[in-house]
Amino acid sequence: MAEKKSLGKEFTKGLIKENPVLRLVLGTCPTLAVTTSVTNAIGMGIAATIVLVCSNIVISALRKVIPSKVRIPAFIVVIASFVTIVQMLVKAFVPALDTALGAFLPLIVVNCIILGRAEAYASKNSIIYSAVDGLGMGVGFTAALCLMGTFREVLGAGTFLAGIQDLLVLFGDNVLGGWNGFDFNGALEFAGLQPITLFILPAGGFFVFGILMAVANKIADGMGKPKAVLGCASCPMAAHCTSKKEDSKCNKKEADAV
Amino acid sequence: MKKLTVSASPHVRSSFTVPHIMLDVIIALIPALIASIVLFGFRSLLITAVCVVSCIAFEYISRKIMKRNTTISDLSAIVTGMLLAFNLPVTIPLWMCVIGCFFAIVVVKQFFGGIGQNFVNPAIGGRIVMLVSFSSAMTNWTAPLEWKNGLDAVSAATPLASLGIGSDMTGLPSLLEMFLGVRGGCIGETCAAALLLGFVYLLIRKVIKPIIPLCFVGTVAVIMLIAGKGSFEFMLYEVLSGGLLLGAIFMATDYATSPITSKGKVIFAIGCGIITAVIRLFANLPEGVSYAIIIMNILVPHIETITKPRPFGAEKEKKSKKEEAAS
């Protein structure tokens, strides 16, 4: 590689700057479908992260063996193997999560985040970087799902982490004294309020998704370097441009439109 | 000495401005407001006040946060607040009204750029969010005029819920009562007389054209006449019940979310009428006016494309192609 990258940066870019859900807009389908509760979001996030890291490692290791013409089927075979393994593990150890996620667990195979990272990153970088990239992306995915799940569950159902025992069953029965999440419905009823059902429905999911995307864009714009402004030389409108500003302050929107 | 101002066109200024139009709509809504107070008590005034105040507040706050100029003086937020309030039952908790106003103003209107940019009618957007979220509170109807007897609320079904094809209409209010609004329902939708008074006022002031309301109500009437096997009584009950008149007169005619051309308006209104009738006759929901208007609102850009008027003197594209082929 021409450029030396730091492992830390490869990891943290998945959190906000290149967050797969909020910035790259990948994996939208599971994002909207499973974020009705935080428990489901955590389960989905962890399952996808495991698949992502494992498939990134294997694809990166095989990157010189796989002919580029058949790379997509090859990636899918690798990803599908790991999804099958994860699905069997979930069915065996966390059966309640398997019921809750339903078809979305096997559908991780076609999750664009995983295929996207395989294509864009793992097939071009060394094993260790690919593993860190997968982990960062997976954590970013899980964090975004949890954030959405928090808003949707608290506002839409009046609970938080409800059914968490379904996940904690991994560590034995009655972990944390059988604590099964917060339930605000009693307090809400006392105050004469009730949850806003809309947020549990797909329409509410889109509202939360849109607002979180806007916030993530705002944060990422704030922490990144100022956007590179194209000079007139690289502008496709340069030949027809009437402003002829040499200091590259021409209307970039026009360039984008073309 | 008078200053000479040289400005670009337009030079002719008319008084037909946004605040004037909105003021006319508010005036047209006053009879329905008075009717709602008479029918359902002073709580309907309270609901209207809460909706109007929270709409104005949300408009002001969101414009401030988005660093845009304040637009509360164009009165559009007041109209949205009044229309949303008219779509609510009198028993609705006040905090739900505030949430409905938040969606109407912030999500539907300001997220999309403010007045003139909203993709659906804000009041209907707010109503549907409330209907989906708080379905039991939004369909908790009370009998009219009971508040005078000192009773808090006597629950009652709306005529629409008990109205079905072939069902007997003995338990329903008389048609005169329906016309005057003595029936269960949302606070502003029941009194047909007051709504029609507002309609006439808007027509005289030329704020709206009669095409959309007439086609909308006409389509529903025709379909109901056919569905009711020619029963005029059934048809009249259907036209006078639910939010049909309120929706057709005040909501479907919203400038930003209805087509510009007359042809487009006809398509839009007939579509609204068909969807309303289909939902009322076949769907599980009791009322379909708000869904009909919101669906057609979303289709308006497409209606505009197919009804784009031809510039004077321009030939039809297809024709010229045929001629080319012939020659």
Side-chain angles (χ1 to χ4, degrees), chain A residues 191-199 201 207 211, chain B residues 95-96 99 103 107 111 129 132-134 136-137:
Chain A
L193 306 175
Q194 68 184 74
I196 308 166
T197 322
L198 179 87
F199 282 100
L201 303 173
F207 283 136
I211 292 169
Chain B
W95 65 272
M96 290 183 187
I99 288 177
F103 269 88
V107 176
F111 276 8
V129 163
V132 169
S133 297
F134 317 114
S136 61

Side-chain angles (χ1 to χ4, degrees), chain B:
Chain B
M1 214 174 101
K2 240 184 174 179
K3 236 182 172 178
L4 175 71
T5 18
V6 182
S7 67
S9 62
H11 301 291
V12 182
R13 307 278 165 96
S14 116
S15 64
F16 199 64
T17 56
V18 175
H20 274 88
I21 295 168
M22 292 301 165
L23 189 64
D24 274 339
V25 178
I26 293 169
I27 292 170
L29 284 169
I30 296 280
L33 179 63
I34 294 167
S36 75
I37 298 168
V38 172
L39 291 167
F40 296 105
F42 284 99
R43 196 164 195 280
S44 57
L45 185 64
L46 179 67
I47 290 173
T48 313
V50 166
C51 282
V52 168
V53 169
S54 44
C55 275
I56 295 172
F58 283 131
E59 174 120 341
Y60 182 77
I61 295 166
S62 57
R63 299 291 293 194
K64 264 267 147 31
I65 291 174
M66 294 178 192
K67 292 184 183 129
R68 293 173 179 160
N69 53 337
T70 312
T71 52
I72 48 171
S73 57
D74 67 16
L75 306 181
S76 62
I78 298 177
V79 172
T80 302
M82 285 179 88
L83 283 175
L84 180 59
F86 283 7
N87 273 293
L88 305 174
V90 72
T91 50
I92 191 93
L94 296 176
W95 65 272
M96 290 183 187
C97 302
V98 177
I99 288 177
C101 292
F102 175 84
F103 269 88
I105 292 293
V106 178
V107 176
V108 176
K109 196 172 163 198
Q110 296 301 344
F111 276 8
F112 287 83
I115 184 167
Q117 310 276 329
N118 45 305
F119 71 112
V120 295
N121 185 305
I124 293 195
R127 173 188 149 83
I128 286 185
V129 163
M130 291 173 78
L131 193 62
V132 169
S133 297
F134 317 114
S135 50
S136 61
M138 282 293 284
T139 48
N140 182 13
W141 312 115
T142 53
L145 300 172
E146 288 293 343
W147 62 281
K148 284 183 181 158
N149 305 336
L151 299 169
D152 255 2
V154 178
S155 63
T158 67
L160 201 56
S162 37
L163 196 63
I165 302 168
S167 66
D168 77 317
M169 294 165 200
T170 45
L172 296 175
S174 72
L175 276 174
L176 180 68
E177 281 178 321
M178 293 286 289
F179 185 70
L180 293 175
V182 190
R183 62 170 174 94
C186 298
I187 57 173
E189 73 179 20
T190 59
C191 186
L195 292 170
L196 288 175
L197 203 64
F199 181 48
V200 170
Y201 177 78
L202 288 181
L203 285 184
I204 292 170
R205 298 285 294 172
K206 290 185 180 158
V207 173
I208 60 170
K209 286 181 181 159
I211 306 176
I212 292 180
L214 291 184
C215 289
F216 190 168
V217 176
T219 310
V220 174
V222 168
I223 296 177
M224 289 305 171
L225 200 58
I226 298 167
K229 300 190 182 84
S231 158
F232 273 99
E233 203 187 1
F234 176 73
M235 189 264 289
L236 283 173
Y237 269 112
E238 281 287 356
V239 168
L240 290 175
S241 58
L244 180 59
L245 290 176
L246 179 65
I249 296 169
F250 290 101
M251 310 233 223
T253 52
D254 178 8
Y255 288 162
T257 55
S258 64
I260 298 165
T261 61
S262 295
K263 212 164 139 197
K265 281 185 164 73
V266 172
I267 299 174
F268 171 81
I270 290 178
C272 286
I274 292 174
I275 298 173
T276 303
V278 166
I279 291 179
R280 280 189 183 181
L281 289 172
F282 302 111
N284 225 349
L285 300 159
E287 173 62 310
V289 172
S290 44
Y291 288 102
I293 296 176
I294 214 165
I295 290 169
M296 292 312 288
N297 277 169
I298 294 167
L299 287 178
V300 163
H302 305 290
I303 297 174
E304 301 275 39
T305 333
I306 58 169
T307 57
K308 198 158 73 180
R310 215 148 34 92
F312 179 71
E315 271 182 60
K316 273 186 188 169
E317 269 181 41
K318 273 183 188 170
K319 211 176 174 183
S320 62
K321 266 181 194 168
K322 263 183 196 170
E323 275 167 10
E324 266 173 40
S327 63

Side-chain angles (χ1 to χ4, degrees), chain A residues 217-229:
Chain A
N217 280 347
K218 185 90 187 158
I219 295 173
D221 282 351
M223 66 191 232
K225 289 173 207 158
K227 269 185 192 162
V229 183

Side-chain angles (χ1 to χ4, degrees), chain A residues 151-197:
Chain A
F151 281 111
R152 290 183 71 184
E153 191 181 344
V154 171
L155 290 173
T159 56
F160 182 59
L161 287 169
I164 191 71
Q165 283 296 327
D166 291 351
L167 283 182
L168 292 176
V169 80
L170 262 177
F171 308 106
D173 289 337
N174 274 336
V175 191
L176 304 174
W179 177 74
N180 210 359
F182 299 99
D183 190 345
F184 312 115
N185 276 312
L188 283 178
E189 211 166 297
F190 183 72
L193 306 175
Q194 68 184 74
I196 308 166
T197 322

